[in-house]
């Protein structure tokens, strides 16, 4: 998490995310303290996020979406209006983790009538993203490597991937994505 020094479109996205996070919490009748206990994110950080004083990192958003039982893409879809059938590149939401430079583009956002979604992720070299739990246990993933090298750890099993490889799995526990010091990674992630 860092103080916001972003361009206007990113600042606007941060404000929209902040509003949605606040509304999700209020819809469940949770106080900031309740959400802090459920997510493991401090009350002070939650307050700063909901006021759009800071941008959330991938780690923090993962904890919050897990507490709410939704995926990050679903959160982004809630920020946007219902997704049209055709999603031009210019309309695809791009989010960058201010802490790591990890970029996540929502190629095909979830929609009310469609179950799947497609994400394009880019991790810089020497980057590790770890999640304590899935947003929804059993969520089906199909990861297709486009460029670079990536290690994906699911529970205690590590999978080393390179361009062209596909890893298929149901997410049931902790997981991590890691790039070596000399190579980043770009991949598509299909969620069902």
């Amino acid at each position: 998490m860092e103080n916001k020094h972003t361009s206007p479109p990113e600042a606007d996205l941060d404000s929209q995310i902040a509003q949605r996070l606040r509304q999700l919490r209020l819809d469940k009748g949770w106080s900031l303290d309740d959400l802090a206990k459920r997510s493991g994110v401090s009350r002070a950080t939650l307050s700063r996020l909901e006021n759009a004083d800071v941008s959330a990192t991938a780690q923090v958003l993962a904890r919050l979406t897990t507490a709410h039982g939704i995926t990050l893409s679903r959160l982004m879809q809630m920020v946007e209006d219902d997704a049209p059938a055709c999603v031009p590149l210019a309309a695809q939401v791009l989010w960058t983790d201010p802490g790591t430079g990890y970029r996540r583009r929502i190629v095909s956002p979830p929609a009310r009538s469609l179950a799947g979604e497609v994400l394009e992720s880019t991790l810089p070299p020497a980057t590790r993203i770890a999640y304590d739990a899935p947003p929804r246990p059993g969520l089906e993933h199909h990861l297709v490597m486009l460029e670079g090298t990536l290690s994906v750890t699911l529970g205690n099993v590590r999978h080393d991937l390179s361009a062209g490889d596909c890893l298929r799995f149901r997410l049931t526990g902790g997981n991590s994505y890691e790039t070596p010091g000399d190579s980043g990674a770009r991949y598509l992630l299909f969620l069902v």
Side-chain angles (χ1 to χ4, degrees):
M1 195 171 50
E2 68 178 28
N3 289 330
K4 294 190 332 183
H5 298 288
T6 57
S7 64
E10 289 173 347
D12 186 48
L13 180 60
D14 286 340
S15 293
Q16 291 173 334
I17 290 170
Q19 290 171 8
R20 176 50 63 188
L21 288 172
R22 178 189 307 265
Q23 193 59 51
L24 282 170
R25 179 179 60 78
L26 293 174
D27 287 350
K28 294 193 174 186
W30 295 345
S31 68
L32 285 172
D33 288 328
D34 293 334
L35 183 54
K37 289 174 188 168
R38 293 171 187 268
S39 67
V41 177
S42 75
R43 183 187 190 289
T45 297
L46 292 172
S47 178
R48 293 178 70 203
L49 285 171
E50 287 188 5
N51 290 319
D53 293 335
V54 294
S55 298
T57 64
Q59 299 275 328
V60 169
L61 284 177
R63 288 181 176 185
L64 293 174
T65 55
T66 298
H68 288 294
I70 60 172
T71 64
L72 178 57
S73 298
R74 184 68 62 183
L75 172 66
M76 294 299 180
Q77 186 264 335
M78 290 174 167
V79 168
E80 301 281 311
D81 291 329
D82 196 24
C86 180
V87 186
L89 178 62
Q92 295 170 14
V93 175
L94 176 64
W95 176 79
T96 303
D97 181 340
T100 64
Y102 161 56
R103 291 182 319 159
R104 183 179 186 134
R105 183 168 56 92
I106 303 174
V107 177
S108 177
R112 290 182 183 101
S113 60
L114 302 171
E117 56 191 276
V118 181
L119 311 169
E120 178 185 14
S121 295
T122 305
L123 264 59
T127 300
R128 183 173 189 273
I129 304 291
Y131 303 99
D132 297 332
R136 191 177 75 228
L139 187 62
E140 183 178 342
H141 288 64
H142 298 258
L143 187 153
V144 178
M145 285 292 295
L146 299 174
E147 299 173 0
T149 305
L150 180 69
S151 293
V152 178
T153 303
L154 305 169
N156 295 323
V157 179
R158 179 181 163 139
H159 303 275
D160 294 319
L161 308 171
S162 56
D165 292 346
C166 177
L167 178 63
R168 304 180 299 175
F169 57 96
R170 286 197 183 274
L171 197 54
T172 58
N175 58 96
S176 66
Y177 300 76
E178 187 171 1
T179 55
D182 63 347
S183 172
R186 189 170 68 90
Y187 56 91
L188 291 175
L189 191 59
F190 299 83
L191 307 176
V192 182

